[in-house]
Amino acid sequence: MYRKNPSSLVKHIDFMILDLVCFLFSIWMAYVIHINQWEIWESQLYRSLIIIIALIHICVSAFDSNYTNILRRGYLKEFTAVIKHVALVIGTMVILMFFLRTLDTLSRMVVAYTAFLALILVWLERTVWKKYIHHRLAKNPRLLLLVTDQTGAERILDQFQDQMLDFQVNGIALVGENLNEIKEVRGVPVVADTESLKDYLLKSATDEILFSIPSNTKLPPDLIRECSLTGITIHLEITSSDELAGAKYEEDYAGLAVMTSYLKLITTGQAFFKRAMDITGGIVGLLITGICFLFVAPAIYISDPGPIFFTQERVGKNGRIFKLYKFRSMYKDAEARKAELMEKNEMKGQMFKIENDPRIIGSGLDGTRHGLGHFLRSSSIDELPQFWNVLKGEMSLVGTRPPLISEVNMYNTSHRARLAIKPGITGLWQVSGRSDIDDFEEVVKLDTRYIQDWSLGLDVKILVKTVAVVLMRKGSR
């Protein structure tokens, strides 16, 4: 799913809220220092002043461009911007109080102290918060692949250096060049050419692709269209956009005029509420996990001494690798025994599942007994530790099934689209039959449909259905 850049006010609403807190704290501190009283809310005049400054700050933030490019401003430029913002807020407040004929009763020293304290506090708050945001963006950036020639790569990388902070150019696919001759451009590795591009996308973590194709260069037929079918967001810096599949719109991308193609477009608000739902669900889920641990951990250890948790590398959003956690429901040598059971695989395609799996704890030699492992799986208790993955941001409450690396290595272009969002503890596939579905292509269709039709309402609907499916132990083995 792709989230386009919102306006500066929406994008930096966190700064607006933090600035407001600093203004209100400054008024209170100014009142305490000069009036020598703590109960500012008991004064009707200063109650009105607090409300007026809050409203003025919100209006100034909405109509002024003070938050534009805030993440790229240095210390001195930020201090200048804060002076302008504080002067507008305090100056407007003084003018308004004059017309309301309350200026004479308002202490000038309180106004002066408020302006001084707000200037210092807002500047310090913005400086500290920007450092936190820079750290967060550097830790988990959007991964961008450039598809262009050497000259285009140098031009774009130079422009991006000071334009955008929330993504990282992690590779270049050169057109009209020999990979053996050029290994990197401006420190960014050359990872593919037009012939190997599709294979690279299937085996690497990539969030977005920017095509900047010289007019005299011909690409292989349908290359851009096939890349867009992977579910990766495509930005196209050429005059024609007929090659792109799916919905698309024009936008300014770090100063470049591009046409963008996406599998699903979401707003900043939708992304915020989905993440908020994940955090809330993750906390509640971990509390439930902790309670279950008290009973499940001893049972697992007694049945098969060894680790309580099962960890496995899975493929997450747009190819990122992460460690998935479960309560262990299989014997310790389950992974080693998988190869000898492949001929009994009941799934068609790039997934593995058999009904009578002898690797499950308590299943017996032929896998027909229903012991502890079957109980953990049929009740979905084994899935509970995944709430830790949700809280970390590697998974979501609702999404697609997190595939194995070995499964992804067998994907074709259309299969890659199911990696366009974070994997989920539950999803459309799980509430549509789970283990009763034995065709991987059907799983892909359900996951792709979920991505294209996604809404917060759909997530809530799936979560409610999941509870019913788990309680009835339907379609799980």
Side-chain angles (χ1 to χ4, degrees), residues 188-213:
V188 179
V190 175
V191 296
D193 56 14
T194 53
E195 298 299 322
S196 59
L197 176 58
K198 287 187 290 185
D199 288 337
Y200 174 79
L201 294 178
L202 293 175
K203 298 177 181 179
S204 68
T206 304
D207 294 310
E208 301 173 26
I209 307 173
L210 173 60
F211 283 89
S212 180
I213 310 301

Side-chain angles (χ1 to χ4, degrees), residues 224-351:
I224 296 178
R225 178 174 292 274
E226 289 188 30
C227 288
S228 64
L229 290 175
T230 63
I232 299 173
T233 297
I234 306 292
H235 306 287
L236 188 59
E237 196 197 14
I238 55 178
T239 55
S240 174
S241 62
D242 294 337
E243 296 90 340
L244 292 174
K248 46 188 176 284
Y249 77 101
E250 295 181 13
E251 67 171 328
D252 182 290
Y253 193 76
L256 301 176
V258 301
M259 180 70 75
T260 297
S261 171
Y262 48 83
L263 191 60
K264 176 68 178 181
L265 181 69
I266 64 173
T267 66
T268 301
Q270 288 174 322
F272 171 81
F273 282 112
K274 182 171 175 64
R275 181 58 185 151
M277 189 163 61
D278 285 343
I279 292 174
T280 304
I283 293 172
V284 173
L286 285 177
L287 292 175
I288 297 172
T289 304
I291 296 171
C292 290
F293 178 84
L294 299 176
F295 305 96
V296 171
I300 292 174
Y301 191 82
I302 292 171
S303 300
D304 183 45
I308 305 302
F309 295 103
F310 171 73
T311 61
Q312 189 178 54
E313 286 192 334
R314 296 291 183 102
V315 182
K317 182 180 178 181
N318 286 325
R320 289 172 173 80
I321 307 299
F322 71 98
K323 283 188 176 181
L324 178 140
Y325 301 94
K326 288 186 176 185
F327 283 126
R328 185 166 60 91
S329 62
M330 289 188 172
Y331 292 110
K332 295 188 296 293
D333 60 350
E335 289 298 299
R337 296 171 61 188
K338 182 178 177 180
E340 65 188 53
L341 297 170
M342 284 300 296
E343 60 182 21
K344 297 181 181 180
N345 186 16
E346 298 169 5
M347 288 293 292
K348 300 173 184 176
Q350 290 82 358
M351 291 173 64

Side-chain angles (χ1 to χ4, degrees), residues 21 54 65 83 97 174 224 226 292 318 326 386 409 422 427:
V21 172
S65 59
I83 292 175
M97 298 294 281
L174 286 180
I224 296 178
E226 289 188 30
C292 290
N318 286 325
K326 288 186 176 185
Q386 290 174 46
N409 288 339
K422 290 179 184 178

